[in-house]
């Protein structure tokens, strides 16, 4: 059997707390898992919503190969011109035609000509009613498969049922479906019967002394008062969430999937 392609996915990066932690603590994780290719979701990296060119460069500097996004990819309009030029910076493909940016790409892995397709899609349940991610994925796969059978999907969605339905629909057609958006790491990493690695949500890279990255008191007021509150990022108990995967380059099937939380949570006092 050929040497597996090792992938590492970094879950939703939340603001400076998440970025600073990555810059200091990701190198040891990179040394441990030895990924050939690194993907990171960064739609929350600039002040909790959106991203900018400076952050993109910081992520490339720590070894990230491709950046994915979600419903906050378009929150900072100043990055729109740059999104048109950087094919390694993705946003969900199923936003209507005419929006800036790329929704998928095919990239060299550095392993003897081996390529990987990375596809970014967004769900519609409890989310903006954009184009259908299922048919959009089918359309994209027809193009990606002309160059590689190895396909990684960042499926950015709220509803677990939609994520599962998507994964089952494309089991055996893509190498991995990793869910993002909710910022809560789930405990259901598995390989589906067709060989697709799956995780409902990878979690977030940022402050866990929070409500999904947001200051606790601010978030509580938002729910108890029922009115908008000024967005404020938390800054304590920072952790890196991610997923380590291994893909068989010959079959394009996932052979190993391992959620990563660093540092790990403690379950007792």
């Amino acid at each position: 059997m050929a040497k597996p392609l090792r992938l590492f996915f970094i879950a939703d990066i939340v603001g400076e707390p998440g970025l600073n932690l990555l810059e200091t603590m990701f190198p040891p994780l990179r040394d441990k898992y030895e990924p050939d290719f690194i993907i990171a979701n960064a739609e929350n990296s600039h002040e909790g919503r959106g991203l900018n060119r400076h952050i993109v460069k910081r992520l490339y500097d720590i070894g990230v190969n491709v950046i994915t996004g979600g419903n906050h990819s378009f929150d900072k309009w100043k990055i729109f011109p740059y999104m048109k030029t950087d094919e390694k910076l993705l946003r969900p493909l199923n936003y209507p035609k005419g929006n800036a940016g790329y929704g998928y790409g095919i990239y060299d892995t550095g392993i003897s000509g081996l390529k990987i397709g990375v596809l970014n899609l967004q769900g519609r349940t409890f989310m903006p009613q954009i184009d259908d991610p299922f048919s959009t994925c089918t359309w994209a796969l027809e193009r990606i498969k002309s160059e590689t059978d190895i396909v990684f999907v960042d499926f950015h969605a709220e509803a677990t049922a939609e994520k599962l339905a998507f994964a089952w629909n494309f089991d055996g057609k893509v190498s991995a479906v990793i869910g993002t958006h909710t910022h809560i790491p789930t405990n259901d990493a598995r390989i589906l019967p067709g060989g697709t690695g799956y995780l409902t949500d990878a979690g977030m890279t940022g402050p866990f002394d929070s409500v999904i990255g947001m200051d606790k008191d601010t978030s509580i007021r938002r729910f108890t008062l029922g009115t908008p509150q000024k967005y404020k990022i938390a800054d304590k108990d920072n952790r890196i969430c991610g997923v380590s995967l291994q893909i068989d380059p010959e079959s394009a099937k996932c052979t190993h999937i391992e959620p990563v939380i660093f540092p790990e949570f403690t379950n007792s006092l």
Side-chain angles (χ1 to χ4, degrees):
M1 180 181 290
K3 176 185 175 183
L5 172 65
R6 296 176 182 267
L7 307 178
F8 196 96
F9 177 75
I10 301 170
D12 297 60
I13 303 163
V14 179
E16 281 299 317
L19 289 165
N20 290 335
L21 182 63
L22 275 178
E23 288 173 332
T24 56
M25 297 307 301
F26 184 65
L29 284 178
R30 188 176 59 216
D31 292 343
K32 177 181 178 180
Y33 290 98
E34 299 181 323
D36 302 300
F37 200 85
I38 302 169
I39 305 163
N41 185 294
E43 62 134 16
N44 298 117
S45 58
H46 184 206
E47 300 172 340
R49 296 183 178 185
L51 73 167
N52 59 32
R53 289 184 63 173
H54 176 61
I55 290 171
V56 169
K57 182 180 183 303
R58 289 168 68 181
L59 293 176
Y60 289 158
D61 285 345
I62 65 169
V64 172
N65 298 101
V66 171
I67 298 170
T68 56
N71 57 303
H72 291 302
S73 289
F74 301 100
D75 281 13
K76 301 294 168 64
W77 61 269
K78 288 184 178 180
I79 200 172
F80 289 3
Y82 179 75
M83 291 172 69
K84 298 177 182 179
T85 68
D86 188 349
E87 296 183 13
K88 298 183 295 180
L89 174 60
L90 303 181
R91 48 76 169 177
L93 179 63
N94 55 318
Y95 269 85
K97 185 177 180 180
N99 281 294
Y102 299 86
Y104 76 91
I106 300 168
Y107 311 96
D108 289 324
T109 63
I111 301 179
S112 60
L114 188 66
K115 294 183 178 181
I116 181 173
V118 181
L119 174 58
N120 195 183
L121 293 165
Q122 184 171 307
R124 297 190 294 180
T125 305
F126 310 123
M127 300 282 281
Q129 292 303 296
I130 55 177
D131 296 340
D132 171 29
F134 289 78
S135 59
T136 301
C137 184
T138 299
W139 178 90
L141 289 180
E142 291 176 354
R143 287 146 182 83
I144 295 172
K145 295 280 186 171
S146 66
E147 296 190 49
T148 181
D149 288 323
I150 299 174
V151 183
F152 177 98
V153 181
D154 175 345
F155 192 55
H156 198 79
E158 182 78 26
T160 55
E162 187 175 17
K163 293 177 180 179
L164 276 166
F166 181 90
W168 281 116
N169 189 73
F170 291 100
D171 179 29
K173 301 175 184 177
V174 299
S175 304
V177 175
I178 303 300
T180 58
H181 178 63
T182 71
H183 293 196
I184 303 299
T186 55
N187 192 30
D188 62 335
R190 52 180 159 153
I191 299 174
L192 301 181
T196 296
Y198 174 74
L199 180 64
T200 297
D201 204 286
M204 72 175 183
T205 295
F208 274 79
D209 184 24
S210 70
V211 176
I212 63 171
M214 188 175 182
D215 172 73
K216 297 193 300 293
D217 292 336
T218 303
S219 186
I220 290 169
R221 286 196 301 272
R222 176 170 164 252
F223 284 104
T224 57
L225 298 178
T227 53
Q229 303 293 317
K230 183 179 180 180
Y231 192 91
K232 181 181 178 182
I233 297 177
D235 60 3
K236 297 178 181 178
D237 193 21
N238 293 307
R239 300 173 190 268
I240 296 172
C241 287
V243 189
S244 174
L245 305 103
Q246 295 183 21
I247 310 297
D248 177 10
E250 296 177 354
S251 67
K253 294 183 178 182
C254 180
T255 58
H256 178 80
I257 180 169
E258 177 185 347
V260 176
I261 300 178
F262 180 81
E264 294 182 359
F265 291 110
T266 56
N267 297 318
S268 60
L269 292 176

